Amino acid sequence: MRRLLLSNDDGVHAPGLRALHDALAPHARLRVVAPDRDKSGASNSLTLTRPLALSTLDNGFYSVDGTPADCVYLGVNGVWEERPDLVISGINHGGNLGDDVLYSGTVAAAMEGRNLGMSAIAMSLVGHRYFETAGRVAASLVGAADRLSLPPRSLLNVNVPDLPWEEIRGLRVTRLGYRGPAAEPLEVLDPRGRKRYWIAAVGESADDGEDTDFAAVEAGFVSITPLQLDLTRHAARDDVQEWLDALT
């Protein structure tokens, strides 16, 4: 039976994590290692300035006082003798579309699994109601994972519309769209009258072409975007080289 490591960035008590566990439990042996609190937006950060505490909860889940990447690192390396076959991160409360992936702890947990040599999938529900739908999608993908061949250092970013299962129109392979600029930060005063700032909500989609993740979800399709860890803009290398040559 396949061994799966589950994690997330919404925290070990998040309903999406429980829904993912319940959907996959009949199909695999599961280990759940997740942050002890909400770590949304943590991206790929690792905790390097202090040791991490790993606690076992009554439901068998493991809680870590660290980031999503910390959780996957511990779940794969050295804490247990058996390594997982696959890392599944989610189900995130809210979409991870377009350039959200740069900030997402959900995607980062999957990336950490990929960095450690595991196949990995990041699961997000574009909303907060139909986690069961996203769980059924996850179970379908895991059941077929053995037949998928991806290039090294790749992972899948999956976004599920917030719809009942019977209203899902199908699956689409997509590319990342991108968002416009975020709104300005919100200025508030703390109880002592000092200025503090809330980071504003993400910007609206600026590229939602037909082949993007934004368009697929809007049309009622599950978006499946293959991601790579190489951020090099290869098409720009010659331009940069010409620019450097002109400086000398």
Side-chain angles (χ1 to χ4, degrees):
M1 203 172 192
R2 293 174 66 85
R3 298 183 300 273
L4 306 184
L5 173 63
L6 310 186
S7 192
N8 73 349
D9 71 351
D10 290 326
V12 71
H13 302 292
L17 183 63
R18 169 53 69 179
L20 182 64
H21 175 275
D22 292 349
L24 297 179
H27 309 287
R29 294 166 54 194
L30 305 181
R31 179 183 304 147
V32 180
V33 187
D36 63 354
R37 67 199 70 184
D38 188 344
K39 288 290 184 177
S40 298
S43 188
N44 297 78
S45 59
L46 290 169
T47 301
L48 303 177
T49 57
R50 59 174 176 81
L52 296 166
L54 179 71
S55 305
T56 308
L57 305 184
D58 291 341
N59 61 2
F61 291 7
Y62 293 91
S63 172
V64 177
D65 62 340
T67 68
D70 291 334
C71 295
V72 173
Y73 174 83
L74 292 178
V76 172
N77 279 319
V79 178
W80 293 271
E81 292 183 2
E82 292 184 329
R83 287 169 64 88
D85 300 306
L86 182 67
V87 174
I88 312 288
S89 178
I91 300 166
N92 192 64
H93 181 166
N96 279 301
L97 301 163
D99 26 17
D100 297 345
V101 301
L102 297 175
Y103 308 98
S104 168
T106 302
V107 176
M111 283 187 177
E112 184 66 15
R114 182 66 267 178
N115 286 340
L116 297 170
M118 308 288 102
S119 297
I121 301 174
M123 296 289 310
S124 300
L125 178 67
V126 188
H128 60 275
R129 294 177 296 172
Y130 293 101
F131 285 108
E132 182 181 354
T133 298
R136 292 180 68 170
V137 172
S140 299
L141 297 179
V142 167
D146 288 340
R147 301 194 296 275
L148 174 65
S149 178
L150 284 175
R153 300 179 68 76
S154 304
L155 62 132
L156 297 181
N157 184 44
V158 181
N159 282 277
V160 180
D162 196 18
L163 297 171
W165 173 257
E166 58 273 13
E167 295 183 23
I168 296 294
R169 297 180 61 191
L171 309 175
R172 277 188 184 174
V173 179
T174 59
R175 66 174 175 87
L176 295 178
Y178 61 84
R179 296 185 183 276
E184 295 181 358
L186 176 64
E187 181 181 306
V188 296
L189 297 178
D190 72 9
R192 297 186 178 182
R194 296 171 297 192
K195 288 183 180 180
R196 297 291 184 262
Y197 298 89
W198 282 103
I199 297 294
V202 296
E204 297 297 323
S205 59
D207 174 11
D208 57 359
E210 186 176 350
D211 59 344
T212 65
D213 46 4
F214 288 105
V217 169
E218 181 65 24
F221 290 86
V222 175
S223 165
I224 303 178
T225 310
L227 301 182
Q228 64 180 7
L229 305 189
D230 179 7
L231 297 180
T232 306
R233 182 69 169 177
H234 293 280
R237 291 175 62 189
D238 289 344
D239 292 336
V240 175
Q241 187 61 59
E242 291 180 9
W243 174 65
L244 290 177
D245 292 342
L247 295 179
T248 60

